[in-house]
Amino acid sequence: MSFQLSPGAEGLRTRLFHIIFESDTPGAKAFDIALIIAILISVAVILLDSVDAYAERFGHIFFYLEWAFALIFSLELAVRIYCLERPTIYLKSFYGIVDVIAILPAWLVLLVPGAHGLVIVRILRVLRIFRILRLMEFIGEGRLLLDALKRSLRQILLFFSSILMVVTLFAALMYTIESPEAGFTSIPMSMYWAIVSMTTVGYGDIVPATSLGKAITMILMLMGYSIIAVPTGVFSAQVIRSIREDRYSEEACPGCGHDRHEKRARYCLRCGTWLDEDSEDPRKKDEHKNEKRP
Amino acid sequence: MSFQLSPGAEGLRTRLFHIIFESDTPGAKAFDIALIIAILISVAVILLDSVDAYAERFGHIFFYLEWAFALIFSLELAVRIYCLERPTIYLKSFYGIVDVIAILPAWLVLLVPGAHGLVIVRILRVLRIFRILRLMEFIGEGRLLLDALKRSLRQILLFFSSILMVVTLFAALMYTIESPEAGFTSIPMSMYWAIVSMTTVGYGDIVPATSLGKAITMILMLMGYSIIAVPTGVFSAQVIRSIREDRYSEEACPGCGHDRHEKRARYCLRCGTWLDEDSEDPRKKDEHKNEKRP
Amino acid sequence: MSFQLSPGAEGLRTRLFHIIFESDTPGAKAFDIALIIAILISVAVILLDSVDAYAERFGHIFFYLEWAFALIFSLELAVRIYCLERPTIYLKSFYGIVDVIAILPAWLVLLVPGAHGLVIVRILRVLRIFRILRLMEFIGEGRLLLDALKRSLRQILLFFSSILMVVTLFAALMYTIESPEAGFTSIPMSMYWAIVSMTTVGYGDIVPATSLGKAITMILMLMGYSIIAVPTGVFSAQVIRSIREDRYSEEACPGCGHDRHEKRARYCLRCGTWLDEDSEDPRKKDEHKNEKRP
Amino acid sequence: MSFQLSPGAEGLRTRLFHIIFESDTPGAKAFDIALIIAILISVAVILLDSVDAYAERFGHIFFYLEWAFALIFSLELAVRIYCLERPTIYLKSFYGIVDVIAILPAWLVLLVPGAHGLVIVRILRVLRIFRILRLMEFIGEGRLLLDALKRSLRQILLFFSSILMVVTLFAALMYTIESPEAGFTSIPMSMYWAIVSMTTVGYGDIVPATSLGKAITMILMLMGYSIIAVPTGVFSAQVIRSIREDRYSEEACPGCGHDRHEKRARYCLRCGTWLDEDSEDPRKKDEHKNEKRP
């Protein structure tokens, strides 16, 4: 992240900044772990609060815990804003928005008594669960995966377009063949069935009733079963490629500036310059010998 | 595609041709995007028109929209034909047929009342999206996938033949073991069950009732679960091969014979020899200069 | 196959042998295709004969067709035996047994009335398709797959052992937690449920009823969902390895007999001998020069 | 394992140690196979004993078999402890605990009547199969898999964290949209449904009832269907890497610096230099002989 402190910032702010926004000191690590645990517990409270049996028995405990988490997360956000130079930029960033979403609904639920607008309160209570997204801050490994995903993005889009076309065509076909009694009441409903079948989920709530419908379903299921090999193959290839590119050195050629050589390359593949600056080019040695001989 | 204009074609036709049949100018791209949106909306109209609730309320709007799209697509087809030298060849091509299919049923539905069953033909206009995908930069990705598919075609055929044999044998076995009450009324019905089980869809509409049937089902499910690794492995390997072969030139270094250079390499990565035999090594030019100077 | 003809065999037998047991002449290919069609139709007859509605209406046609196929396949087997030197070896081989199985039950069904249960044995004739696949050019593809399967056999065995252990443990756990009313009447029944869940088939005929059972099911499903990556990864790697080994030349080193060099290798990796017998070893050239110079 | 015998241990203990804790002699292999069979039968007894029909009829046989296995496994454990120098270390190791667990509950069930719930603990003896798999030649395969798993551990954790976040968010969403009548009674219950759907299991016990719920379900199913490509791709890449790194030595050729030789290579594949610096090149020996001869 690039939220920097002004050079003249006082010590407390600097220290807080390092603890909250970084993770390479013991203090910062302890803060991260405490925050993860707080988020997980607060999410668990929301989950359990939605179960009627628990809500009845432990409702007041959940209520106090929610107050506690609302206070903790609000305090944390306040400190975050306090130790930043440009808090507005932070609040408009993805993680800033997630941080606000993690707090606002809690206050709304706690302060607005739920007599009127029960639905909104209920939705707000559920919205609190978005604070789980804050965990994404702590995950660093994604770069290799995101890299491979980015490379296969076009192929994945192509894959999904094809899937949706197949689904639409099969849905229209089944809508014509099967009767509404079997559940194929409209093309969108048939599409729901086609996706349930093609992704091999197979709830069984809508099922073909006619022989012809069953025959077409078999084809659709075999397609769905085997077609998954396509994105898997593409993605495997891209991950392998991403790993392999770790084999490439990032040092630029002193001759032409080209910066993507295999680590074992000895000469620049674009201009032929000797890459290893610590030793001498064997070609030069040969030239020296030739010079000395006559 | 190879629908060319005669050299003496007037400017309008040439310009229309570039806009409609290509996609590398801003105008052509705008046309492609407008066409995709039109296709998607017209497909959405067909989908929603099949839902009784919407058909009752918005039926007349859908009717007018269908008229509008019939007119738009007809006009588009007319312009396509107008700006081509040999429209008959185009009309006989895959995309030509799809274009006609996208229009004809619309007119039939609008003019002949009650031609409801044409919904499958009308929805074929979703295939037109392929044409635009093809025109846009998805070609490269698609070609790589098709290339890998073509290479693994025989193995995929072998895979499906084996699947169908396994399905037939298990279906016959279950037909003998299980009673018709459990749903195994005939071998084709058992095959439907076997495919539902093997592809891991598992609707649950037909389910083994006897212990022996359940034991056999376990084997079938484990087979289906693990056998998918075969086409996935084959396809992964082929995609990797296709990607790799794109990167390496097959020409050997004239200096040391090393024969697996990346296509972008200009010097041999092992001995530093200039690889492009059609032009001169820039280093030599420098040497010539040095020779001339003194 | 190694069913050879005696040197003095008469022309007819030799010609029949080439047509029936090989597939590289037009006659042999026509025979293969005719045989595949005959097998497919005879299997289709068995399938349709098991459907009550068809059996009632077309029962007599199916009966005559079965007679016809019994005669055709018997004749084919007779010719096969006739044109072989050692038919007993052939009859004891896998394909010989399949050929006999494809005929015998047909005769039994036709001659002994009510031998309905033989449908499983009759349908085994679908296995004959393997013989033709084997004869045609699918061999190469199949060999690559079998090669990769053989290499990953141990890992696949390990995978299945682990799966079965997990299934047994989860089944015992669920048997203790869930009640028989929910379908968990015994550990084997729980194992059936565990395999249905772990392979992501999910019929839904047995489903956890308690909260704890549902929590454990979630873990099992996530395991089954992700663990499939293991055999897929192993198999992908093995296919890639098999393909890559196509990169290895099969010519032996003239120096030490070592026979697995990369095709681009110029020196034997075991004894350093120059491998390309058509050109001279550059090291020797250098030696010649050195010899000539003084 | 490192359970060593003291140098002065008597012959019997040494011999027993080799038979029981190793697997490279015929006696040790026979012991392993006998043990595997005993474990499998004893597990089968537990499985069948849970089926009411079998328990009623063969209950007394199962009872005597359980006694027999309790005795056999106790004897085996006694011998194991007897032939070890430091049995306490062994008893605290994973396999020691599993061995004790395999015996204790059997005695408890036999001596304390009605300790039926111990079936889960008793069935843990299936874990003992791992010990034998480990002893036999499956080690190599397992190590490769574990190696690849260890490398992709972080990415797998990332994958599961992402899955659980998606599941939580979709569950909260569906809890708000769908009614409790459709089965979405609480967020944890919705999470159960989300995992059933995302892992493509699809029991069908909880199914969306509203149109909006169905639309969201389609997105979730497509995500689950395609996202499995991620761990598969990552794991494939890691297996390929593990296999490859097994094949290549990391030492460079002293002649030309080429640094990716197969481990079995004795000469550099590019310049023919002798690679093993600890011994002399056999070709040089030949030259020495030639020099000495004249």
Side-chain angles (χ1 to χ4, degrees):
Chain A
M1 249 183 282
S2 54
F3 307 112
Q4 288 175 348
L5 278 173
S6 72
E10 60 279 57
L12 179 66
R13 277 176 71 185
T14 317
R15 252 187 301 151
L16 281 172
F17 177 83
H18 286 309
I19 289 172
I20 295 179
F21 284 97
E22 290 174 3
S23 70
D24 42 7
T25 59
K29 271 187 189 158
F31 177 80
D32 280 356
I33 288 165
L35 195 58
I36 286 185
I37 291 168
I39 294 169
L40 287 179
I41 295 177
S42 81
V43 167
V45 164
I46 301 171
L47 294 187
L48 295 176
D49 195 26
S50 78
V51 184
D52 284 345
Y54 293 127
E56 270 169 36
R57 246 207 283 174
F58 308 111
H60 53 288
I61 302 180
F62 293 152
F63 183 76
Y64 291 127
L65 277 172
E66 191 58 35
W67 264 104
F69 284 118
L71 283 172
I72 291 171
F73 292 141
S74 302
L75 188 70
E76 187 224 335
L77 184 61
V79 175
R80 258 179 214 276
I81 289 169
Y82 164 70
C83 70
L84 282 175
E85 278 292 285
R86 296 192 197 80
T88 44
I89 295 177
Y90 166 71
L91 287 172
K92 281 176 197 158
S93 74
F94 175 71
Y95 290 113
I97 293 165
V98 168
D99 283 356
V100 173
I101 284 174
I103 299 167
L104 265 193
W107 287 115
L108 284 173
V109 172
L110 292 170
L111 299 178
V112 182
H116 55 282
L118 245 165
V119 187
I120 303 158
V121 175
R122 201 172 155 219
I123 291 168
L124 278 175
R125 292 177 106 186
V126 171
L127 264 185
R128 292 178 303 163
I129 214 153
F130 274 88
R131 63 175 65 144
I132 205 172
L133 283 176
R134 296 196 69 198
L135 291 179
M136 276 172 41
E137 276 176 73
F138 301 102
I139 300 166
E141 283 299 302
R143 210 187 306 148
L144 191 80
L145 284 186
L146 281 180
D147 193 46
L149 272 179
K150 225 175 275 172
R151 277 161 193 266
S152 27
L153 189 66
R154 289 175 157 278
Q155 287 161 334
I156 288 169
L157 272 181
L158 200 65
F159 174 72
F160 274 113
S161 311
S162 309
I163 290 272
L164 286 178
M165 270 185 239
V166 169
V167 160
T168 311
L169 293 177
F170 270 85
L173 203 60
M174 289 299 275
Y175 172 65
T176 327
I177 292 169
E178 293 281 333
S179 65
E181 284 77 39
F184 297 85
T185 50
S186 66
I187 299 184
M189 194 62 106
S190 291
M191 286 176 77
Y192 166 74
W193 164 84
I195 289 181
V196 165
S197 302
M198 201 168 181
T199 57
T200 79
V201 171
Y203 285 137
D205 52 346
I206 304 177
V207 150
T210 65
S211 296
L212 184 56
K214 271 174 179 143
I216 290 166
T217 305
M218 290 195 228
I219 296 167
L220 183 65
M221 288 187 295
L222 283 173
M223 280 181 73
Y225 177 60
S226 50
I227 227 170
I228 188 63
V230 174
T232 308
V234 169
F235 192 71
S236 297
Q238 298 297 4
V239 176
I240 288 164
R241 200 164 138 193
S242 294
I243 288 177
R244 192 170 296 152
E245 274 170 23
D246 267 8
R247 268 185 21 214
Y248 287 95
S249 130
E250 283 181 19
E251 278 173 65
C253 162
C256 69
H258 188 80
D259 61 349
R260 207 160 149 279
H261 295 93
E262 284 188 58
K263 277 176 184 158
R264 69 190 170 102
R266 301 194 300 169
Y267 293 96
C268 172
L269 55 74
R270 261 185 55 202
C271 70
T273 305
W274 179 245
L275 286 174
D276 183 5
E277 292 175 47
D278 299 332
S279 65
E280 207 187 353
D281 183 350
R283 288 178 307 187
K284 280 203 180 151
K285 280 184 206 160
D286 294 352
E287 282 168 29
H288 291 321
K289 279 179 200 161
N290 292 339
E291 279 166 19
K292 281 170 192 168
R293 203 176 283 169
Chain B
M1 247 185 282
S2 54
F3 307 112
Q4 288 173 348
L5 278 174
S6 71
E10 60 278 59
L12 179 66
R13 278 176 69 185
T14 318
R15 253 186 300 150
L16 280 172
F17 176 82
H18 287 309
I19 288 171
I20 295 178
F21 283 96
E22 290 174 4
S23 70
D24 41 8
T25 59
K29 270 187 187 156
F31 177 80
D32 280 353
I33 288 164
L35 196 56
I36 282 194
I37 291 169
I39 293 169
L40 288 179
I41 295 177
S42 81
V43 168
V45 164
I46 300 175
L47 295 188
L48 295 177
D49 195 26
S50 77
V51 185
D52 284 345
Y54 294 126
E56 271 168 37
R57 246 205 285 173
F58 308 111
H60 53 287
I61 301 180
F62 294 152
F63 183 76
Y64 291 128
L65 277 171
E66 191 62 31
W67 265 103
F69 284 117
L71 283 171
I72 290 170
F73 292 143
S74 301
L75 187 71
E76 185 222 337
L77 183 62
V79 175
R80 260 178 213 277
I81 289 169
Y82 163 70
C83 68
L84 282 175
E85 277 292 284
R86 296 191 197 80
T88 46
I89 296 177
Y90 162 71
L91 286 173
K92 281 176 195 159
S93 72
F94 174 70
Y95 291 107
I97 292 166
V98 168
D99 283 355
V100 172
I101 283 173
I103 299 167
L104 267 193
W107 288 115
L108 281 174
V109 172
L110 292 170
L111 300 177
V112 185
H116 189 66
L118 282 168
V119 76
I120 341 136
V121 193
R122 270 163 75 208
I123 212 139
L124 281 179
R125 67 174 64 149
V126 84
L127 285 176
R128 297 193 75 200
I129 290 171
F130 270 127
R131 122 166 295 142
I132 294 124
L133 286 180
R134 200 177 116 270
L135 282 177
M136 294 170 96
E137 294 127 57
F138 286 93
I139 303 177
E141 321 304 322
R143 210 193 299 148
L144 195 79
L145 283 186
L146 281 180
D147 192 45
L149 273 178
K150 226 176 272 171
R151 277 162 193 264
S152 29
L153 188 66
R154 289 175 156 277
Q155 287 160 334
I156 289 169
L157 272 179
L158 200 64
F159 173 72
F160 274 113
S161 311
S162 310
I163 290 272
L164 285 179
M165 272 185 238
V166 169
V167 160
T168 311
L169 293 177
F170 270 85
L173 203 60
M174 290 298 276
Y175 172 64
T176 327
I177 291 169
E178 292 281 333
S179 65
E181 284 77 41
F184 297 84
T185 50
S186 66
I187 299 184
M189 194 61 108
S190 291
M191 286 175 77
Y192 166 73
W193 165 84
I195 290 181
V196 164
S197 302
M198 200 169 181
T199 56
T200 78
V201 170
Y203 285 137
D205 53 346
I206 304 177
V207 151
T210 65
S211 297
L212 185 56
K214 270 173 180 145
I216 290 166
T217 304
M218 289 195 227
I219 296 168
L220 183 65
M221 289 186 295
L222 283 173
M223 280 181 74
Y225 177 60
S226 50
I227 227 170
I228 188 63
V230 174
T232 307
V234 169
F235 192 72
S236 297
Q238 298 298 4
V239 175
I240 288 164
R241 201 164 138 192
S242 295
I243 287 177
R244 191 172 298 154
E245 275 169 24
D246 237 39
R247 275 228 325 266
Y248 285 98
S249 130
E250 283 179 23
E251 278 173 66
C253 164
C256 70
H258 188 81
D259 62 348
R260 257 174 73 83
H261 295 92
E262 293 183 55
K263 273 179 184 156
R264 68 199 169 94
R266 299 198 302 171
Y267 291 95
C268 173
L269 57 75
R270 179 126 305 276
C271 71
T273 306
W274 178 246
L275 287 174
D276 184 4
E277 291 175 47
D278 299 334
S279 65
E280 209 187 353
D281 183 353
R283 288 178 309 186
K284 283 207 179 144
K285 281 184 204 157
D286 295 353
E287 282 168 29
H288 291 319
K289 280 180 199 159
N290 292 340
E291 280 166 17
K292 282 170 192 166
R293 205 177 283 165
Chain C
M1 248 185 281
S2 54
F3 307 113
Q4 289 174 348
L5 277 174
S6 72
E10 61 279 58
L12 180 64
R13 277 177 69 185
T14 319
R15 252 187 299 151
L16 281 172
F17 176 84
H18 286 308
I19 288 171
I20 295 179
F21 283 96
E22 290 173 4
S23 71
D24 43 6
T25 60
K29 270 188 187 157
F31 177 80
D32 280 353
I33 288 164
L35 196 56
I36 282 194
I37 291 169
I39 293 169
L40 288 180
I41 294 176
S42 81
V43 168
V45 165
I46 300 175
L47 296 188
L48 295 177
D49 195 27
S50 77
V51 184
D52 285 345
Y54 293 126
E56 270 168 39
R57 245 206 283 173
F58 308 111
H60 53 287
I61 301 180
F62 292 152
F63 183 76
Y64 290 128
L65 276 172
E66 191 63 30
W67 264 103
F69 283 118
L71 282 171
I72 291 170
F73 291 143
S74 302
L75 187 72
E76 186 222 337
L77 184 62
V79 175
R80 260 179 213 277
I81 289 168
Y82 164 71
C83 70
L84 282 175
E85 276 294 284
R86 297 194 196 78
T88 45
I89 296 177
Y90 161 70
L91 287 173
K92 281 174 195 157
S93 73
F94 174 70
Y95 290 108
I97 292 166
V98 167
D99 283 355
V100 173
I101 282 172
I103 298 166
L104 267 192
W107 288 114
L108 281 174
V109 172
L110 291 170
L111 302 177
V112 184
H116 189 65
L118 281 168
V119 76
I120 342 135
V121 193
R122 271 164 75 208
I123 212 140
L124 281 179
R125 68 174 61 149
V126 84
L127 285 176
R128 297 194 75 201
I129 291 171
F130 270 127
R131 122 165 295 141
I132 294 123
L133 286 180
R134 199 177 118 271
L135 283 176
M136 295 170 96
E137 295 127 57
F138 286 94
I139 303 177
E141 320 305 322
R143 210 193 300 148
L144 193 81
L145 283 187
L146 282 179
D147 193 46
L149 273 178
K150 227 175 274 170
R151 277 161 193 266
S152 28
L153 189 65
R154 290 176 156 278
Q155 287 161 334
I156 289 169
L157 271 179
L158 200 65
F159 173 72
F160 274 113
S161 311
S162 310
I163 290 272
L164 286 179
M165 271 184 240
V166 169
V167 160
T168 312
L169 293 177
F170 271 84
L173 202 61
M174 289 298 276
Y175 171 65
T176 326
I177 291 168
E178 292 282 333
S179 65
E181 285 77 42
F184 297 84
T185 51
S186 67
I187 300 183
M189 194 62 109
S190 291
M191 286 175 78
Y192 165 74
W193 165 84
I195 290 181
V196 165
S197 302
M198 200 169 182
T199 57
T200 77
V201 170
Y203 285 137
D205 52 346
I206 304 177
V207 150
T210 65
S211 296
L212 185 56
K214 272 174 179 146
I216 291 166
T217 304
M218 289 194 227
I219 296 167
L220 183 65
M221 289 187 294
L222 282 173
M223 280 181 73
Y225 176 61
S226 50
I227 227 171
I228 189 62
V230 174
T232 307
V234 170
F235 191 72
S236 297
Q238 298 297 4
V239 174
I240 288 164
R241 200 164 139 193
S242 296
I243 287 177
R244 193 171 296 152
E245 274 169 24
D246 265 10
R247 265 182 26 209
Y248 286 96
S249 129
E250 284 180 20
E251 278 174 65
C253 163
C256 69
H258 187 81
D259 61 348
R260 210 163 147 275
H261 296 92
E262 284 188 58
K263 277 176 182 156
R264 67 191 172 105
R266 302 194 301 170
Y267 293 96
C268 172
L269 55 76
R270 263 184 54 203
C271 71
T273 305
W274 179 247
L275 286 174
D276 184 3
E277 292 175 46
D278 299 333
S279 65
E280 208 187 352
D281 183 352
R283 288 178 309 185
K284 282 205 180 148
K285 280 184 206 158
D286 295 353
E287 283 167 30
H288 291 319
K289 280 179 199 160
N290 293 339
E291 280 165 17
K292 282 170 192 166
R293 205 175 282 167
Chain D
M1 249 185 281
S2 55
F3 307 113
Q4 288 174 349
L5 278 174
S6 73
E10 62 278 58
L12 179 65
R13 279 176 70 186
T14 319
R15 252 186 300 151
L16 281 172
F17 177 83
H18 286 308
I19 288 171
I20 295 178
F21 283 96
E22 289 173 5
S23 70
D24 43 7
T25 60
K29 270 188 187 155
F31 177 81
D32 280 354
I33 288 164
L35 195 58
I36 282 194
I37 291 169
I39 294 168
L40 288 180
I41 295 177
S42 82
V43 168
V45 165
I46 301 175
L47 296 188
L48 295 176
D49 195 27
S50 77
V51 184
D52 285 345
Y54 293 127
E56 272 169 36
R57 247 206 283 174
F58 308 112
H60 52 288
I61 301 180
F62 294 153
F63 184 76
Y64 291 127
L65 277 172
E66 190 63 31
W67 263 103
F69 284 118
L71 283 171
I72 290 171
F73 292 143
S74 303
L75 187 71
E76 186 222 336
L77 183 61
V79 176
R80 260 178 214 277
I81 289 167
Y82 164 70
C83 70
L84 283 176
E85 277 294 283
R86 296 195 197 77
T88 44
I89 295 177
Y90 162 70
L91 287 172
K92 281 175 195 157
S93 72
F94 174 70
Y95 290 107
I97 292 166
V98 167
D99 284 355
V100 172
I101 282 173
I103 298 166
L104 267 191
W107 288 114
L108 281 174
V109 172
L110 292 170
L111 300 177
V112 184
H116 189 66
L118 282 168
V119 76
I120 341 136
V121 193
R122 271 164 75 208
I123 212 139
L124 281 179
R125 67 175 62 149
V126 84
L127 284 176
R128 298 194 74 203
I129 290 172
F130 270 128
R131 123 164 295 140
I132 293 124
L133 286 180
R134 197 177 120 272
L135 284 177
M136 295 171 96
E137 296 125 56
F138 286 93
I139 303 176
E141 321 305 323
R143 209 191 302 148
L144 193 79
L145 283 187
L146 282 179
D147 193 46
L149 273 179
K150 225 174 276 170
R151 277 162 193 265
S152 28
L153 189 65
R154 291 178 153 275
Q155 286 158 335
I156 288 170
L157 272 180
L158 192 67
F159 174 72
F160 275 113
S161 312
S162 311
I163 290 273
L164 286 179
M165 270 186 239
V166 169
V167 159
T168 311
L169 294 178
F170 270 85
L173 205 60
M174 288 299 275
Y175 172 65
T176 326
I177 292 168
E178 292 281 332
S179 65
E181 285 77 41
F184 298 85
T185 51
S186 67
I187 299 183
M189 193 61 107
S190 291
M191 285 176 78
Y192 166 75
W193 165 85
I195 290 181
V196 165
S197 302
M198 200 169 181
T199 57
T200 77
V201 170
Y203 284 137
D205 53 345
I206 305 177
V207 150
T210 64
S211 296
L212 184 56
K214 272 175 178 143
I216 291 166
T217 305
M218 289 195 229
I219 295 168
L220 183 65
M221 289 186 294
L222 283 173
M223 280 181 73
Y225 176 61
S226 50
I227 227 169
I228 188 61
V230 174
T232 307
V234 169
F235 191 73
S236 297
Q238 298 298 3
V239 176
I240 288 164
R241 200 163 138 193
S242 295
I243 287 177
R244 192 173 297 154
E245 274 169 24
D246 237 38
R247 274 228 325 267
Y248 285 98
S249 130
E250 284 179 20
E251 280 171 65
C253 163
C256 70
H258 188 81
D259 62 348
R260 259 173 72 86
H261 295 93
E262 293 183 55
K263 273 178 185 158
R264 69 201 167 90
R266 300 197 302 171
Y267 291 95
C268 174
L269 58 73
R270 178 127 307 276
C271 70
T273 305
W274 179 245
L275 287 175
D276 183 5
E277 292 175 47
D278 299 333
S279 65
E280 208 187 354
D281 182 351
R283 288 177 309 184
K284 280 205 180 147
K285 281 184 204 159
D286 296 352
E287 282 168 29
H288 291 320
K289 280 179 200 161
N290 292 341
E291 279 166 19
K292 280 169 192 167
R293 204 176 284 167

